[in-house]
Amino acid sequence: MGDAPADWMLAFSTSVTSMSLNGSNGTVTVSSSPTAMEMMQRMGTMQPFAMLSAPQGTYNSASIAFGNCSVTYIDPVTKTLMNQTIPGPFQATVTFSSPVTLGLTPMAFNFDLDLAHSVTADNSGNLNFSPQFHFSSGMQSAGSGNNPFDGGMQQMMGTISSTASGSFIMTPAQAAQSFTVMTNSSTQFEGIANGMGMMGSGMGVLVTASLQPDGSLLATRVRSRMQSGGIMGGGIVTEVTGTPATQLSLVMQNGAGASMMTAYLSRTITVNIGSGTAFTVDDDRVDLTGLPFTPAFDASHVYAGQSVMPINPSGGMMAGSGMGGGMMGNSAGTMTASQIYLEEQGFRGTASSAIVPGNSTSFTLMLDPQSAFTGLTGATTILVYQQASTNVESSETIASGATLRVHGLLFQNAGQWSLVASTIASE
């Protein structure tokens, strides 16, 4: 499941209460128990929701049910942080534009929630939700690698449930099930000195994996982020206190660990920063070499609008207030970070010049004035750096003036917002 961009939101969390596929074999259950999900972190990409052995045959639609929704956004008039709960339940029937025939080869069914057209506001400012989906399917093939639209997994956050010879079971916070992930001699381990031998139950990891012809997941990279008992979060910084920073306010989009509850999604947390807090750029998919500026990320170079992942190895999330009737007062609590990672994030805007695949260049991305990023920072443009390795999802030149989705690492350089792109795609 993924999210087509709705850049006026900072977070959209909901519960997928059930999901099924419909076709020549009748109804096939995908999930029947509530699964919490935050969709804005999936902007323009996919993350695995479930894996199942489905009967061969033709499928023509899916049925998806949702519970309550929680939306955090910047009020376009007052520029203040707001939160609204949209009471459920909701039901969506996703009819495929053409039937999909499932045979012996594993296939990804991609459900892209179009938040821009699913969430609307009435004249009183009350939000409404009518789920609209775009559907596509992808098949594992040579060269598809860890492409999430072909069933791959990219930087999926979760905790290790158990390990075995050559495999481990990972439990994500935002999926309907745990996933068994295979490893081999080519699997890269980061922060795990002896690879599988040092992996233990409760360890927090980010996993990148590819779908194999037999339907299994093979890890290409496993990155350890915390040991058992710790907590890690992820989301957008909305406020920085101190210079250098001593505290961050964060709208939660992800999380894992002993005391990190799914109820925290789309709520705010306070992250305390000490003299020993380490700052690290997570450049797994981004080439930061050869740039005309030096990317900086530390206590003096962390800003509202950036996506970060704070980690506390010993857990200990301190409780915050409740939802406060839906309009702020929605603090989930406080954590003290031993480490903070700068993470990739997505933007949508208009390109100032043509995009040629394989080029190393830069261009200005002009943002929607009503975007949450503009509301937080006042910025209406971002300077995007395209590297030769940037994945441009087009075999042809993308014309100047096209609407783009860009993903990458965001920095501030002499007052200029600069994003080094991992992915560029036209809408």
Side-chain angles (χ1 to χ4, degrees):
M1 297 189 74
D3 162 40
D7 44 15
W8 61 273
M9 301 181 198
L10 286 169
F12 178 95
S13 62
T14 186
S15 174
V16 178
T17 55
S18 67
M19 183 176 183
S20 60
L21 302 174
N22 311 306
S24 58
N25 293 294
T27 299
V28 177
T29 299
V30 176
S31 171
S32 58
S33 58
T35 302
M37 300 187 76
E38 196 289 314
M39 301 306 297
M40 286 302 295
Q41 61 156 332
R42 294 168 169 80
M43 180 173 165
T45 189
M46 292 283 151
Q47 285 194 10
F49 176 73
M51 295 183 71
L52 68 154
S53 195
Q56 296 180 45
T58 300
Y59 294 86
N60 50 39
S61 68
S63 300
I64 309 174
F66 299 88
N68 294 346
C69 305
S70 178
V71 185
T72 301
Y73 60 99
I74 302 294
D75 184 275
V77 177
T78 64
K79 306 301 181 184
T80 55
L81 194 65
M82 305 291 289
N83 177 276
Q84 277 198 45
T85 297
I86 311 175
F90 305 96
Q91 181 74 38
T93 299
V94 185
T95 302
F96 306 161
S97 57
S98 58
V100 179
T101 300
L102 181 63
L104 292 174
T105 303
M107 181 177 289
F109 281 30
N110 302 313
F111 295 88
D112 197 357
L113 178 60
D114 187 349
L115 282 178
H117 294 95
S118 298
V119 182
T120 57
D122 61 24
N123 291 334
S124 299
N126 299 308
L127 299 182
N128 303 291
F129 180 55
S130 178
Q132 310 292 319
F133 279 91
H134 303 294
F135 173 81
S136 65
S137 60
M139 189 176 292
Q140 191 278 338
S141 61
S144 61
N146 53 35
N147 187 333
F149 291 88
D150 294 329
M153 180 185 288
Q154 286 188 349
Q155 294 264 89
M156 191 162 193
M157 181 186 290
T159 53
I160 300 298
S161 302
S162 63
T163 63
S165 177
S167 69
F168 60 89
I169 296 177
M170 179 184 71
T171 302
Q174 300 185 49
Q177 64 178 85
S178 297
F179 298 108
T180 298
V181 183
M182 311 300 294
T183 64
N184 63 13
S185 58
S186 298
T187 302
Q188 299 177 26
F189 293 89
E190 180 184 301
I192 311 173
N194 295 316
M196 286 288 299
M198 294 298 292
M199 293 179 68
S201 177
M203 174 183 285
V205 292
L206 300 177
V207 176
T208 297
S210 59
L211 182 66
Q212 300 299 293
D214 63 357
S216 64
L217 287 168
L218 176 64
T220 55
R221 179 172 292 188
V222 181
R223 318 181 90 184
S224 172
R225 285 293 181 260
M226 66 177 190
Q227 297 300 314
S228 177
I231 57 173
M232 55 184 179
I236 303 297
V237 178
T238 58
E239 186 176 358
V240 178
T241 301
T243 307
T246 58
Q247 202 171 70
L248 305 177
S249 293
L250 196 74
V251 173
M252 291 290 291
Q253 296 177 332
N254 208 348
S259 61
M260 187 65 72
M261 297 183 294
T262 55
Y264 293 167
L265 296 176
S266 80
R267 297 171 66 184
T268 59
I269 66 167
T270 299
V271 179
N272 290 327
I273 299 171
S275 59
T277 301
F279 286 76
T280 305
V281 176
D282 189 350
D283 58 353
D284 180 50
R285 300 195 311 140
V286 181
D287 179 8
L288 296 178
T289 62
L291 296 168
F293 71 99
T294 301
F297 179 65
D298 52 40
S300 298
H301 298 88
V302 58
Y303 306 97
Q306 289 181 309
S307 176
V308 301
M309 180 193 300
I311 295 174
N312 183 328
S314 59
M317 174 74 78
M318 295 169 57
S321 63
M323 291 301 291
M327 288 295 182
M328 295 323 297
N330 67 331
S331 173
T334 301
M335 68 179 287
T336 298
S338 65
Q339 195 154 17
I340 298 176
Y341 287 87
L342 180 68
E343 297 294 326
E344 285 191 49
Q345 61 194 105
F347 292 93
R348 180 176 61 170
T350 304
S352 64
S353 57
I355 311 299
V356 180
N359 274 10
S360 291
T361 187
S362 63
F363 62 90
T364 298
L365 187 74
M366 291 167 282
L367 306 175
D368 185 331
Q370 301 301 319
S371 71
F373 182 77
T374 298
L376 275 175
T377 67
T380 57
T381 63
I382 294 175
L383 183 60
V384 178
Y385 288 90
Q386 176 190 346
Q387 300 281 59
S389 60
T390 298
N391 175 31
V392 179
E393 295 182 358
S394 174
S395 59
E396 301 177 351
T397 298
I398 301 173
S400 174
T403 300
L404 301 179
R405 288 182 287 106
V406 298
H407 291 256
L409 293 169
L410 183 67
F411 302 92
Q412 197 174 104
N413 173 42
Q416 169 67 59
W417 286 105
S418 301
L419 182 133
V420 188
S422 64
T423 305
I424 299 172
S426 61
E427 291 195 352

